[in-house]
Amino acid sequence: MKLPGKLSKRTRSLRFRLTISYVVFFSLLLGSVGVLFRQALVSLLDRQARALLEEEWAAVNGYLRFERRRQHEWFYDPTDQEDAAIVERLRRYFLLTDAEGNVMEASNAYRVLGVEKPNEVRTALRSSRVEWKTRRASNGEPYLVRAGLLHDDRRRAYFMAIALPLAENERTVEGFTVNYFVLLPVMILASSLLGWFLAGRALRPLHDVSKTAQNITGSNLDLRIVPRGSGDELDHLIETFNRMMERLAASFEQIRQFSTDVSHELRTPLTAIRGQLEVALFTARTPEQYREAMVNALEDVERLGQIVKALLLLSQSESGQLALQKSAVELSSLVLDVVDQFQIPAEAAQVNLTAELPEPCTVQADRIQIERLVSNLLSNAIKYTGPGGRVSVRLRREAEEVLLEVEDNGQGIPAGDLPHIFDRFYRVQSAEHSPEKGLGLGLSFVAWIAKAHGGRVEVASVPGEGSRFLIRLPQGDGADRIEGALA
Ligand code: ADP
């Protein structure tokens, strides 16, 4: 059977399930307590009844005398009213037989319970054990019977039984049972209401969290839930949620910034290409003029291509699809080649670029990626070092590692930006920075390539004095495949 939507939603709710577990637990507890109490009451009343019958048995012994065989007598002072009353009470449920089961005295009340047959008497005498039995009178009322052996002065055996009505005890137990188990559903109902209320109260902050979460969209990521200050699990959840929101907001901001930057970056070469083509179309006359316009357009197409390539590479490295093509790479000559390539741009920027590469050192690495790493570091160093500055590249070996150092005396990086420069799309926002706009991806690649080779990047920078990037690469084998190394 399928519950209607609203009801089934409610029955699946945590509040409902908490209440149900609470009620089930409480019912089981109350039920078992009730059963245990009832049993305790029954056994207490039973013990009391037996103790009373024991007392009466002893009293009967005190009052009975046997003159000769099969002749007994109640020995008491009939003028003593108290004595007479006691004896009368003792004889109310009373049976006395000789060893063969011949009745010597039997009260009417005892006869109603059923006098023991001679063979029962004989068996009882043979076993000589005290017998406890519960008998019911014809009207259904219960009695406790104590039966057993009795001797006279000459060691002649008799069978005696006395009884005690248990109706009162039974009514007490019944009264307790009825009252308790009638009250039980009321208690369970009250406990379920209490459970429902308490579970609702405990879960209210969760509703606040889910309500806030529902209201969150890309445009209001600054929403936060106010912790209640109780320091409990829910506060912990709220704090975790808020921290997650902070991270999400930061990522969203980065992505937003990135989209703006990418469109900006793409627009500049596109506008230039369009301008050059229009000029060629409307004003060029000679083949040289056409050629010049096409060469300029091609340069911008080249830049466009680089941007698209960087984006593609980034998405591949992010999704772990990029496998390193490792081979033995001689780092000294590789770095020297890259430094040579950067001499012309360095001269153009009036930066003195030098390299200190004392010894050849070979590592297992992906040549293309290591070239990209050195290029990114060098292009940054040149870009962010003004005319007259110095950039130096050093390579050395230390223990199990190869250290590549790119140092400049350029503008440096503010301390607040330093922890973020390896984040994707992160660029230092300041007027003197970015003489030439980048995508903020260069250092992300540097960090990713180092990590993919089992190494890491360290940076030290003082604003106004310069920066030093240190790459540590292990000489042994690094990681072969990069699973989200950028993340
Ligand atoms: P970009 O494309 O902007 O150069 P990068 O990821 O290569 O992106 O660098 C991130 C930021 O770190 C840059 O915007 C720049 O502000 C700063 N930076 C990187 N290298 C240097 C350096 N050698 N000197 C000063 N600032 C640097």
Side-chain angles (χ1 to χ4, degrees):
M1 198 178 81
K2 229 179 142 187
L3 290 169
K6 215 170 173 184
L7 190 61
S8 103
K9 197 171 160 196
R10 180 148 278 194
T11 55
R12 269 186 282 126
S13 75
L14 201 56
R15 185 182 187 181
F16 182 80
R17 281 186 283 163
L18 271 179
T19 312
I20 286 291
S21 351
Y22 179 71
V23 168
V24 168
F25 171 75
F26 211 63
S27 314
L28 286 178
L29 186 77
L30 284 180
S32 8
V33 165
V35 170
L36 281 179
F37 258 70
R38 190 182 177 279
Q39 265 170 0
L41 185 64
V42 168
S43 75
L44 174 77
L45 292 175
D46 186 59
R47 270 202 310 278
Q48 272 181 355
R50 283 174 189 237
L52 201 65
L53 271 186
E54 290 284 7
E55 264 176 38
E56 292 200 348
W57 185 275
V60 170
N61 266 332
Y63 285 111
L64 264 187
R65 290 277 184 284
F66 292 90
E67 295 301 316
R68 57 189 98 95
R69 195 169 116 73
R70 299 195 65 230
Q71 251 194 23
H72 71 288
E73 188 186 349
W74 292 88
F75 187 76
Y76 65 101
D77 178 5
T79 55
D80 184 339
Q81 280 189 354
E82 205 180 322
D83 248 16
I86 293 175
V87 171
E88 193 185 331
R89 186 167 56 80
L90 292 176
R91 293 174 77 176
R92 190 170 305 151
Y93 304 101
F94 181 76
L95 169 75
L96 183 69
T97 76
D98 63 10
E100 276 72 47
N102 301 313
V103 175
M104 293 161 64
E105 180 179 337
S107 67
N108 286 339
Y110 195 89
R111 284 183 196 281
V112 173
L113 297 180
V115 172
E116 273 79 357
K117 311 221 162 47
N119 59 336
E120 287 174 312
V121 169
R122 280 196 293 276
T123 325
L125 289 188
R126 262 203 305 281
S127 82
S128 77
R129 266 211 320 265
V130 175
E131 260 186 276
W132 293 97
K133 339 181 218 195
T134 312
R135 294 251 183 88
R136 285 201 180 264
S138 46
N139 61 0
E141 298 232 318
Y143 289 82
L144 181 67
V145 175
R146 187 199 194 280
L149 190 62
L150 198 71
H151 287 109
D152 65 10
D153 300 342
R154 302 214 180 122
R155 301 295 304 158
R156 283 190 293 248
Y158 298 91
F159 174 79
M160 184 169 90
I162 53 174
L164 185 76
L166 288 180
E168 193 53 40
N169 287 3
E170 214 173 59
R171 269 193 289 279
T172 308
V173 173
E174 223 167 70
F176 167 81
T177 313
V178 169
N179 285 340
Y180 189 86
F181 287 94
V182 161
L183 219 66
L184 189 65
V186 180
M187 290 195 281
I188 290 174
L189 185 73
S191 82
S192 40
L193 289 179
L194 186 71
W196 182 254
F197 169 73
L198 288 180
R201 240 175 77 133
L203 293 173
R204 196 171 309 140
L206 271 187
H207 286 293
D208 296 346
V209 175
S210 82
K211 236 190 239 155
T212 313
Q214 268 168 10
N215 289 335
I216 290 169
T217 62
S219 52
N220 62 354
L221 283 171
D222 49 347
L223 272 182
R224 298 286 179 275
I225 302 165
V226 186
R228 299 162 311 144
S230 58
D232 58 5
E233 288 87 344
L234 278 171
D235 256 7
H236 183 65
L237 175 75
I238 291 174
E239 271 161 30
T240 313
F241 178 85
N242 284 344
R243 277 202 296 274
M244 180 194 80
M245 288 302 297
E246 268 160 34
R247 287 197 301 277
L248 269 184
S251 304
F252 258 66
E253 177 51 29
Q254 269 190 0
I255 292 169
R256 200 188 55 72
Q257 183 65 40
F258 174 67
S259 319
T260 318
D261 292 347
V262 167
S263 35
H264 200 80
E265 288 293 314
L266 294 180
R267 214 176 48 206
T268 316
L270 275 176
T271 316
I273 293 168
R274 185 194 168 119
Q276 281 142 10
L277 293 180
E278 276 174 357
V279 167
L281 201 60
F282 298 122
T283 61
R285 298 277 173 270
T286 63
E288 283 70 34
Q289 284 171 331
Y290 276 111
R291 197 181 149 73
E292 195 191 330
M294 282 166 81
V295 167
N296 289 342
L298 255 183
E299 272 171 18
D300 285 321
V301 168
E302 178 73 14
R303 177 160 167 71
L304 269 183
Q306 273 171 5
I307 295 171
V308 173
K309 212 164 110 187
L311 291 176
L312 190 68
L313 198 66
L314 178 77
S315 82
Q316 280 177 343
S317 58
E318 264 185 335
S319 59
Q321 289 169 1
L322 208 64
L324 291 186
Q325 308 290 326
K326 278 191 176 178
S327 59
V329 175
E330 206 287 283
L331 271 187
S332 282
S333 61
L334 181 147
V335 173
L336 193 62
D337 284 350
V338 183
V339 169
D340 282 346
Q341 285 166 28
F342 272 90
Q343 283 302 351
I344 293 173
E347 267 170 37
Q350 299 170 38
V351 170
N352 179 20
L353 174 59
T354 55
E356 249 176 71
L357 312 162
E359 46 184 316
C361 64
T362 306
V363 289
Q364 282 295 319
D366 185 322
R367 170 176 286 278
I368 307 225
Q369 302 302 347
I370 296 291
E371 272 174 6
R372 175 172 286 129
L373 178 147
V374 183
S375 302
N376 284 355
L377 286 178
L378 280 184
S379 90
N380 274 351
I382 294 169
K383 196 157 60 171
Y384 299 112
T385 303
R390 268 183 295 105
V391 172
S392 52
V393 183
R394 278 182 290 273
L395 188 69
R396 62 176 196 280
R397 237 191 272 208
E398 205 180 271
E400 297 291 288
E401 289 177 326
V402 179
L403 306 188
L404 172 72
E405 197 176 86
V406 177
E407 191 173 19
D408 65 61
N409 64 349
Q411 61 193 44
I413 303 162
D417 292 295
L418 218 47
H420 304 292
I421 55 170
F422 295 102
D423 293 351
R424 281 161 284 167
F425 319 125
Y426 191 85
R427 287 145 83 184
V428 176
Q429 302 288 339
S430 81
E432 57 169 339
H433 261 78
S434 31
E436 195 185 305
K437 268 201 165 179
L439 276 178
L441 294 176
L443 286 182
S444 310
F445 276 119
V446 169
W448 167 69
I449 294 165
K451 195 171 168 190
H453 282 84
R456 61 178 196 278
V457 192
E458 288 164 15
V459 59
S461 186
V462 179
E465 287 184 19
S467 318
R468 189 178 69 111
F469 287 83
L470 182 69
I471 311 289
R472 291 175 178 275
L473 291 178
Q475 290 216 47
D477 239 8
D480 283 325
R481 200 176 167 80
I482 315 96
E483 299 288 349
L486 264 178

